[in-house]
């Protein structure tokens, strides 16, 4: 399932690659796994922090994004894990 725009996805992929070097292959196919991994490696499990990382400059970075939907999905994944989207 993909709910992130390509620009949002690229931010997470780049940051995870810088941080860890390896990205879980499931995260490249499913945004839920990508967000789950990013929540724990980049944001200490805090959905608000991950959202701020993705949208650190507001809408200017991700013009095509539905920021409200992104935040709700990040929150849902934080509460229920990567299978929340399934």
């Amino acid at each position: 399932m993909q709910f992130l725009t390509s620009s949002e996805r690229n931010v997470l992929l780049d940051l995870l690659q810088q941080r860890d070097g390896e990205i879980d292959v499931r995260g490249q196919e499913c945004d839920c796994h990508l967000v789950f991994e990013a929540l724990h490696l980049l944001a200490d499990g805090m959905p608000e922090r991950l959202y701020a990382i993705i949208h650190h400059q507001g809408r200017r970075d991700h013009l095509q994004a539905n920021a409200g939907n992104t935040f709700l999905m990040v929150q849902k994944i934080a509460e229920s894990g990567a299978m929340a989207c399934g």
Side-chain angles (χ1 to χ4, degrees):
M1 172 182 206
Q2 294 189 330
F3 60 88
L4 298 170
T5 63
S6 59
S7 61
E8 290 174 315
R9 191 175 303 107
N10 289 337
V11 165
L12 292 181
L13 288 169
D14 290 345
L15 290 172
L16 285 169
Q17 188 130 27
Q18 291 173 17
R19 165 82 189 238
D20 195 38
E22 284 188 41
I23 299 170
D24 186 338
V25 293
R26 296 174 294 177
Q28 294 175 346
E29 299 169 5
C30 176
D31 288 346
C32 295
H33 288 284
L34 178 63
V35 167
F36 183 80
E37 185 175 7
L39 267 168
H40 295 285
L41 292 178
L42 302 174
D44 298 322
M46 299 172 67
E48 297 84 3
R49 184 176 290 173
L50 183 61
Y51 179 81
I53 289 169
I54 297 170
H55 288 270
H56 69 281
Q57 292 186 351
R59 286 201 40 89
R60 291 181 292 172
D61 285 345
H62 312 289
L63 296 176
Q64 302 300 318
N66 180 335
N69 184 59
T70 298
F71 181 73
L72 289 175
M73 292 301 291
V74 169
Q75 210 170 26
K76 183 176 178 180
I77 294 165
E79 293 170 1
S80 303
M83 301 311 290
C85 300

